[in-house]
Each structure stands twice: as structure tokens, then as C-alpha cells.
Amino acid sequence: GAVVSQHPSRVICKSGTSVKIECRSLDFQATTMFWYRQFPKQSLMLMATSNEGSKATYEQGVEKDKFLINHASLTLSTLTVTSAHPEDSSFYICSASKGAGTGRETQYFGPGTRLLVL
Amino acid sequence: RKEVEQDPGPFNVPEGATVAFNCTYSNSASQSFFWYRQDCRKEPKLLMSVYSSGNEDGRFTAQLNRASQYISLLIRDSKLSDSATYLCVVNLRNTGFQKLVFGTGTRLLVSP
């Protein structure tokens, strides 16, 4: 199998607080994990690529100091939204690749985390 | 211009019908192509990869036309369970980590 979990599934927080989202590969080792977000009625957008043991690679326009990514083990990556604001409210989805995350490899997606910042 | 464009639909079809979705992509250097399905408020799930020679998986057939930068998905004998949003996905990078770019999806509603 290839099961990816995320926690929490939904979170409501006040503006200015930080929120941590966990992404775990449950039955395989994920060298590479990807973080996406999806605003209502829009497509998934890649935010960053995280490789175990090294710094994440962020897509253009994504603030690395605001969206902190840690990929400390082969089964866990975390995304921390620091000082969240209402415009950060979105559906955050992670995915994991069994291999290096290149070419035609399949990405297995987690169930997503709905963040609402009040 | 969007990197991946799809008709948002919805496509309303009866059970048993054949339906086709199209997608165009703007980056001619794109290397790999996929169709995902996404159910309402859920994560996307891989339906199939798309190869230049065309490929089939049961009731689903995918085609790629690199010259026209066009991808298609054909669903035969539609089932109620096929109702979902179908996402056309392109990997922009030919080296290094994938960068999957998702279309906004085409919504399919299959009715009894």
C-alpha cells in the first residue's frame, strides 16, 4: 500500500497564531514529500518540496519564513504556518513519493487539512 | 495563459454513456502527464498516467498529442461512482523533483 495521513484534518485558529500540520507516510518511506494548497474553486498549487534531511525547496512566491517545513524523518514532514492570517485559510495537502520524487513517479496524497483563520 | 487548461464542465451524462475530457498545456517542455480524480472536499487520487502511445485501463483511455499539447481522457460505460472532478496534471520538470501543475478540473455528474 501507500497510505499518507495528515493531522489535523481541520483547524480553526485566531489571526496571529501558528499552526503545525503533520504529514506521515504510514506504510512506506518517503524520501520526498510535497506540500500543496488549494483555494476554493482553484487548482492545487505546489508550495514546496521537502527532501528528508535537507532544506525544503520553495516555489516562487511562497515565503519560506512564513511556511516552515521540516522533514526530519523518512515518514514525517511538517508544515508550520507562522503568524497565520485570514488569507492563509485554505486546504493544505501533502503528498509523498516512494522514490526520489522525479520523472513519472506517483505521488500519494494525504487527505488534506482545512485551515480557517479567523 | 494558464499552464494547464480544462473545461470546468459540469458534464451531465446518464449511466452507460461515453464521455470525453480534453486538456491543453502550455509548456512544450513538459515531460509527464497524468489524470487524477478528486471527490468533493477530498484529496486527489491518481487515475492513470498518460503516455504518447496512448494507454487504456479498463473503461478509461488516455491519449497524449505532444504536437498539439493536448491530453484527453475517455470514459466508457459511465458509472454513478465516476461522478467526480477529473484533474489534468502535467509535470513541468524533466530533471530533479517533479513539479506537478494541476488544471482546475472538469466536473462529471453521472445520473441514473
Side-chain angles (χ1 to χ4, degrees):
Chain A
V3 181
V4 177
S5 71
Q6 277 184 245
H7 178 80
S9 57
R10 59 182 66 216
V11 58
I12 302 173
C13 69
K14 292 182 180 179
S15 187
T17 59
S18 293
V19 176
K20 181 187 280 189
I21 302 169
E22 291 186 349
C23 176
R24 292 182 185 272
S25 56
L26 299 185
D27 52 2
F28 66 100
Q29 293 188 328
T31 306
T32 306
M33 288 184 170
F34 303 83
W35 286 96
Y36 296 83
R37 64 182 166 187
Q38 185 177 30
F39 293 106
K41 298 191 185 300
Q42 294 188 27
S43 56
L44 271 78
M45 297 287 289
L46 179 65
M47 298 175 67
T49 302
S50 113
N51 198 236
E52 189 265 337
S54 60
K55 289 184 179 179
T57 303
Y58 289 81
E59 294 300 307
Q60 194 172 13
V62 179
E63 299 174 56
K64 63 180 182 180
D65 294 330
K66 181 169 180 64
F67 298 99
L68 301 178
I69 292 172
N70 184 286
H71 192 158
S73 77
L74 287 172
T75 59
L76 173 65
S77 177
T78 61
L79 168 68
T80 301
V81 184
T82 62
S83 187
H85 290 285
E87 58 265 30
D88 298 323
S89 300
S90 188
F91 188 41
Y92 291 85
I93 310 178
C94 72
S95 71
S97 178
K98 292 182 178 179
T102 60
R104 286 193 168 279
E105 289 177 23
T106 300
Q107 291 185 24
Y108 300 94
F109 284 82
T113 296
R114 292 203 177 274
L115 171 63
L116 176 61
V117 185
L118 302 176
Chain B
R1 183 183 172 189
K2 287 182 183 177
E3 290 178 299
V4 178
E5 295 211 52
Q6 296 181 251
D7 179 344
F11 284 55
N12 291 284
V13 302
E15 269 187 292
T18 296
V19 61
F21 305 137
N22 303 319
C23 164
T24 57
Y25 60 96
S26 60
N27 191 328
S28 59
S30 301
Q31 292 297 308
S32 45
F33 310 88
F34 311 88
W35 282 101
Y36 278 75
R37 70 171 275 168
Q38 186 175 26
D39 293 288
C40 189
R41 300 176 74 82
K42 296 289 183 73
E43 76 276 20
K45 293 186 178 177
L46 179 66
L47 183 64
M48 58 199 303
S49 298
V50 187
Y51 301 101
S52 296
S53 55
N55 48 301
E56 186 175 309
D57 183 0
R59 297 181 294 109
F60 300 86
T61 300
Q63 296 276 355
L64 167 66
N65 184 322
R66 283 189 183 270
S68 302
Q69 295 178 203
Y70 170 97
I71 306 163
S72 66
L73 177 68
L74 183 77
I75 305 176
R76 291 182 297 278
D77 189 22
S78 299
K79 311 290 184 191
L80 295 177
S81 57
D82 293 335
S83 296
T85 297
Y86 290 82
L87 308 175
C88 177
V89 183
V90 173
N91 175 24
L92 291 187
R93 295 191 181 126
N94 58 0
T95 60
F97 297 128
Q98 292 177 342
K99 179 179 179 178
L100 296 188
V101 177
F102 287 74
T104 50
T106 298
R107 193 165 169 222
L108 172 66
L109 299 171
V110 182
S111 54

